Amino acid sequence: MSGPQWELVTKNKKDKPANGVTRKLTKTEKKKFADNAPKVEDLLPMSKVKSLYSDFPEVNKPPAVDVKKGKENDAKKQQQKKPQQQKAEKPKESKPKTLDAAINRIDVPEFQNLIAALQAKFDGSTLMWLRTIDNFLDQSLTVEISDPVFSSKNHEYPLCLLPPAMLSSLKDALETAGEANRQLYFEILLNHLAQELTKGFSAVGTRILLQVMGTSYPETVVAAIPKCLALQNSYKSRKPIWLSILWAMGQGGFKDLSVGLKVWQDVMLPVLELRNYSQYVVEYLTRLLGRHSASPALSVDEYLSAMDSILRPDVSISNLLTDSLQRQAKILRKIAVNATPDAKLNLFFKPLMNRLATADTDAYKEEVLEFLYLCLCADDQCFNTWKQIYSSNLSESAALLEHIASKASSSETKPAEKSCKSFIDFVVKTNASLQTAKPKLKGLEDSRKVCESLSFKMASKKKSSYWKFISFILILAFGGMVAYDIKLHGSFKESTVGRTLHDTGALAYGNLALEQAKVYTQKGAEWTRENGPIYYASAVEVSKPYLELARDLGLIAYNSASKACVAVDSWCTTNAPEVTSQVKKYATVAGETFVQYAGDFGRYTRVGFQSAQEYAAKNIFVGKWSPENLQKMTHEAVNVTQRYVISTYEWIVEQVDSVSKAR
């Protein structure tokens, strides 16, 4: 039997500290050790535990709490919480839903004091207080903007909503800033507008400041075009942001037409073919030209540059927008003609003739021809300018002569007849001298044919006027002779004309017709005197009840209409502001739509009329019915009629003479 054996117990190598250094415990390990360590209460009875703590009264003994002080502190805390709860319970002010309401919340005197304080605080840094004004307006006008270009509003919106005192303060502040600071500030605002819109803010205050600067200082807009083009690369693909920038750049044009055309050509025209912007680009040009219908005179270069941009042949847009652009070209021409003194229209003539040579489209050519025609009608000096450049512009001159011939009978305004005839004579002589040139000059034959047609029309018109005058003189002379004859013989019956009519029987038939008219007139008067009262009494008796009924119904209708008018008046008084806002919203769009459809109707009607005219010229008025033959037949008929009139007059004179001699 084996007895108990001894076993050698050694430490594990893992438990030995490395290099004989004892490792310190971490905070986690210390906390775990304290939680797992045995407690005094588990090892000793409770009596010894109490005596153990009582021997050291100042150690680990919690401080005594004064009951009175605790109650006072609780009361103070409750009193402090009450105002905070009352503040939290106060209702918050509702956010304005419209821009008009948001602007009305701004205290104008407080705003003016703010500008004065900022100018005093940042006296040496103008841009600092300008930026602070921008931030104040942006924070005060936190209204959502659904339409970045305000297409349903007038061109002064939203600037027209500002109180006059507030607007005056803004303009005074910008005037104080100086030209250099204004220019830099305008570019800063453009960049700030794009950044705020990117973040999702409406930036209404920035929009208003840009509008104030654009309408008050249009030159800042032109100087900011390079900055705007730099922003185009970053924001052109973001429709709301780029539309907002285009709107801000276009504000200067409503003050100065030249600025508006410059911005339209340099900034807006490059995005005309983009679907997101084509509608606004055309609408802006429409508003711009409508605003400046009585604008100061445009220079020749400004007009030609704008017309080249409007009537570009390579624009890929809808037919509706193309027609609208062509209408704007006509409006621009009217502005240039009406604003330019008549004595200076000859300055447009030579450049327009050069443009006519390079016209790529029918619309462009028609516009140039119409402007040239108006120049000839208003300024006779244009004919002298035309004579100087005729030989070098034969094709263009032929086209213009043909245009004059087509407008001769339809247009109310016409060139001076004397100047026109003098020029045609000059053209005939010049064409005769150019006939011998080899090779034949292009357009010479067309010019010759048009000149012959114009000369024939002018001669026919003069001949027709001559015969009208002769006919009038003959009728006047015949009337004078009859009057003298009656006066000479004392009465119509004894006059030579009366006796001649009596001998031929015409006087007897005239007297018979007069007597019959007198008889029937007398019978009608007698019947009316006898039967009129009877029929009148019967009509009154039959119609009296119906007239009384109609009178009663009229009174009822009048009373009902009066009540309805009162109800309508009260309704209008209550709802007038809302109705007015809706009318303003849709009136502009409806008017422009009506104008567009009216223009389309006119264009289609014109095309149909031209097609019918061409068909008639090719299939109806040919051969015997050609215009030349019809004109010849008309002249022959007039000549035959005149011969018969003259022969009749001579026969009457012979008869009168024969009767006189017989007596």
Side-chain angles (χ1 to χ4, degrees):
M1 186 173 180
S2 62
Q5 297 179 358
W6 295 91
E7 184 178 356
L8 180 63
V9 179
T10 60
K11 292 183 178 181
N12 194 351
K13 293 182 180 180
K14 294 182 180 180
D15 296 334
K16 292 182 179 181
N19 299 326
V21 180
T22 304
R23 184 173 62 87
K24 293 182 180 181
L25 297 177
T26 62
K27 290 183 179 181
T28 306
E29 292 175 344
K30 287 180 181 180
K31 184 178 180 181
K32 186 176 181 181
F33 176 76
D35 293 338
N36 296 328
K39 298 180 180 179
V40 178
E41 290 82 356
D42 298 334
L43 299 176
L44 298 175
M46 290 300 297
S47 58
K48 291 186 177 182
V49 172
K50 292 180 179 179
S51 62
L52 179 64
Y53 284 110
S54 62
D55 294 337
F56 305 95
E58 297 179 0
V59 179
N60 295 332
K61 190 174 181 181
V65 179
D66 192 351
V67 179
K68 294 183 179 180
K69 290 183 179 180
K71 291 181 179 180
E72 292 177 358
N73 292 333
D74 293 339
K76 289 181 179 179
K77 290 180 180 179
Q78 291 178 0
Q79 291 178 358
Q80 291 177 356
K81 289 181 179 179
K82 286 182 180 180
Q84 294 177 357
Q85 292 176 357
Q86 292 177 358
K87 291 181 180 178
E89 292 175 358
K90 287 184 178 179
K92 295 183 179 180
E93 294 183 357
S94 60
K95 185 179 178 181
K97 297 182 180 180
T98 62
L99 183 55
D100 194 2
I103 291 176
N104 290 334
R105 286 192 177 188
I106 298 177
D107 189 353
V108 177
E110 182 181 349
F111 178 73
Q112 293 173 339
N113 295 333
L114 174 65
I115 293 178
L118 290 173
Q119 289 176 342
K121 183 177 181 180
F122 302 105
D123 189 17
S125 179
T126 304
L127 292 176
M128 183 67 71
W129 57 264
L130 286 174
R131 288 296 303 275
T132 308
I133 293 174
D134 178 30
N135 293 334
F136 172 79
L137 291 176
D138 279 343
Q139 293 174 4
S140 301
L141 305 176
T142 55
V143 180
E144 295 295 330
I145 302 297
S146 58
D147 184 4
V149 297
F150 308 108
S151 57
S152 61
K153 309 293 183 181
N154 59 23
H155 69 276
E156 295 180 351
Y157 188 89
L159 193 60
C160 59
L161 300 179
L162 294 183
M166 184 176 179
L167 179 59
S168 177
S169 299
L170 283 175
K171 290 183 177 180
D172 293 342
L174 292 171
E175 182 66 25
T176 305
E179 183 178 356
N181 287 323
R182 282 197 302 268
Q183 185 59 51
L184 183 58
Y185 185 49
F186 188 85
E187 297 179 0
I188 291 174
L189 286 178
L190 280 179
N191 193 34
H192 180 66
L193 175 64
Q195 292 176 354
E196 290 295 298
L197 293 176
T198 303
K199 296 176 183 178
F201 300 112
S202 58
V204 179
T206 305
R207 295 173 192 264
I208 291 178
L209 283 172
L210 286 168
Q211 190 176 17
V212 173
M213 296 186 68
T215 54
S216 302
Y217 307 98
E219 64 277 2
T220 59
V221 178
V222 177
I225 288 178
K227 175 66 176 179
C228 182
L229 295 178
L231 294 174
Q232 179 179 350
N233 297 328
S234 302
Y235 300 104
K236 185 172 65 174
S237 59
R238 303 180 184 183
K239 180 181 178 181
I241 299 177
W242 189 240
L243 277 178
S244 300
I245 294 176
L246 292 180
W247 174 86
M249 291 294 293
Q251 295 306 304
F254 295 117
K255 182 68 177 295
D256 189 338
L257 177 59
S258 300
V259 172
L261 292 176
K262 176 71 173 174
V263 171
W264 189 82
Q265 293 175 75
D266 294 350
V267 180
M268 299 187 183
L269 193 60
V271 297
L272 174 61
E273 298 184 42
L274 300 181
R275 185 181 302 175
N276 289 335
Y277 308 110
S278 57
Q279 182 71 27
Y280 175 71
V281 172
V282 177
E283 286 180 356
Y284 174 78
L285 183 64
T286 304
R287 284 192 172 192
L288 179 67
L289 297 182
R291 165 69 176 166
H292 295 283
S293 57
S295 173
L298 289 172
S299 66
V300 178
D301 293 337
E302 287 176 342
Y303 170 75
L304 293 177
S305 177
M307 188 179 67
D308 290 343
S309 301
I310 294 173
L311 298 177
R312 284 171 52 188
D314 55 343
V315 179
S316 300
I317 55 177
S318 64
N319 294 332
L320 188 62
L321 295 178
T322 302
D323 295 340
S324 180
L325 280 179
Q326 292 177 3
R327 289 195 296 269
Q328 302 318 309
K330 296 178 181 178
I331 295 174
L332 183 66
R333 180 230 307 158
K334 292 179 181 178
I335 292 174
V337 172
N338 294 335
T340 305
D342 293 345
K344 293 185 177 180
L345 280 175
N346 62 322
L347 299 177
F348 285 85
F349 196 86
K350 186 175 180 180
L352 286 172
M353 288 294 283
N354 296 334
R355 284 294 197 280
L356 188 59
T358 59
D360 296 328
T361 60
D362 293 338
Y364 193 102
K365 184 177 180 181
E366 184 67 23
E367 183 63 28
V368 174
L369 287 173
E370 188 62 27
F371 201 153
L372 288 170
Y373 180 77
L374 292 176
C375 291
L376 293 172
C377 294
D379 188 2
D380 289 343
Q381 293 296 324
C382 293
F383 282 103
N384 296 330
T385 305
W386 195 2
K387 290 178 182 180
Q388 296 173 5
I389 62 175
Y390 173 77
S391 300
S392 57
N393 295 273
L394 289 175
S395 300
E396 294 76 24
S397 297
L400 182 54
L401 287 170
E402 188 174 356
H403 187 75
I404 293 173
S406 64
K407 300 279 288 187
S409 58
S410 60
S411 178
E412 295 181 358
T413 57
K414 298 178 182 179
E417 185 176 354
K418 183 178 179 181
S419 300
C420 191
K421 185 177 183 306
S422 174
F423 179 76
I424 290 176
D425 294 339
F426 166 80
V427 170
V428 170
K429 294 178 182 178
T430 306
N431 289 345
S433 63
L434 295 176
Q435 286 288 346
T436 58
K438 292 184 179 181
K440 289 186 177 181
L441 298 175
K442 184 180 179 181
L444 182 60
E445 186 64 21
D446 295 337
S447 177
R448 185 187 63 79
K449 291 180 180 180
V450 176
C451 275
E452 289 179 356
S453 176
L454 272 175
S455 300
F456 180 76
K457 286 183 179 180
M458 294 179 69
S460 300
K461 182 179 178 182
K462 185 175 181 180
K463 189 175 181 180
S464 175
S465 300
Y466 172 77
W467 280 112
K468 287 180 181 179
F469 178 74
I470 293 297
S471 301
F472 175 75
I473 293 298
L474 289 174
I475 294 173
L476 189 63
F478 182 75
M481 291 172 60
V482 172
Y484 176 75
D485 189 23
I486 293 172
K487 185 177 180 181
L488 182 63
H489 294 86
S491 64
F492 178 76
K493 187 175 181 180
E494 297 296 330
S495 66
T496 305
V497 176
R499 289 196 301 268
T500 303
L501 293 176
H502 182 269
D503 294 340
T504 57
L507 186 61
Y509 285 108
N511 291 331
L512 181 61
L514 183 61
E515 289 176 359
Q516 290 295 325
K518 288 181 180 180
V519 170
Y520 284 108
T521 302
Q522 187 176 4
K523 288 183 178 180
E526 292 176 356
W527 183 91
T528 303
R529 282 195 297 268
E530 293 177 0
N531 301 302
I534 299 173
Y535 284 105
Y536 176 76
S538 301
V540 170
E541 184 180 358
V542 172
S543 61
K544 185 176 181 180
Y546 296 101
L547 292 175
E548 292 178 352
L549 178 62
R551 183 192 61 187
D552 296 338
L553 292 175
L555 290 174
I556 295 172
Y558 174 77
N559 294 331
S560 301
S562 299
K563 293 179 181 179
C565 289
V566 173
V568 170
D569 181 64
S570 62
W571 183 88
C572 291
T573 304
T574 306
N575 301 281
E578 183 178 357
V579 173
T580 303
S581 63
Q582 293 295 325
V583 169
K584 289 182 178 178
K585 180 178 179 181
Y586 295 104
T588 304
V589 178
E592 293 177 355
T593 305
F594 174 76
V595 170
Q596 290 176 356
Y597 282 114
D600 294 339
F601 177 75
R603 182 169 59 85
Y604 292 135
T605 304
R606 186 172 63 254
V607 171
F609 179 75
Q610 291 176 353
S611 301
Q613 187 178 10
E614 292 176 357
Y615 175 81
K618 293 180 180 179
N619 299 283
I620 299 176
F621 297 107
V622 294
K624 293 182 179 180
W625 297 99
S626 64
E628 293 80 6
N629 292 333
L630 290 175
Q631 194 171 19
K632 290 179 181 179
M633 293 170 64
T634 304
H635 284 293
E636 290 176 0
V638 171
N639 293 334
V640 170
T641 304
Q642 290 174 349
R643 286 197 298 270
Y644 277 112
V645 170
I646 293 172
S647 62
T648 303
Y649 174 74
E650 292 175 352
W651 178 81
I652 292 173
V653 172
E654 290 177 358
Q655 293 296 325
V656 171
D657 292 338
S658 63
V659 171
S660 300
K661 290 178 181 179
R663 290 191 176 186

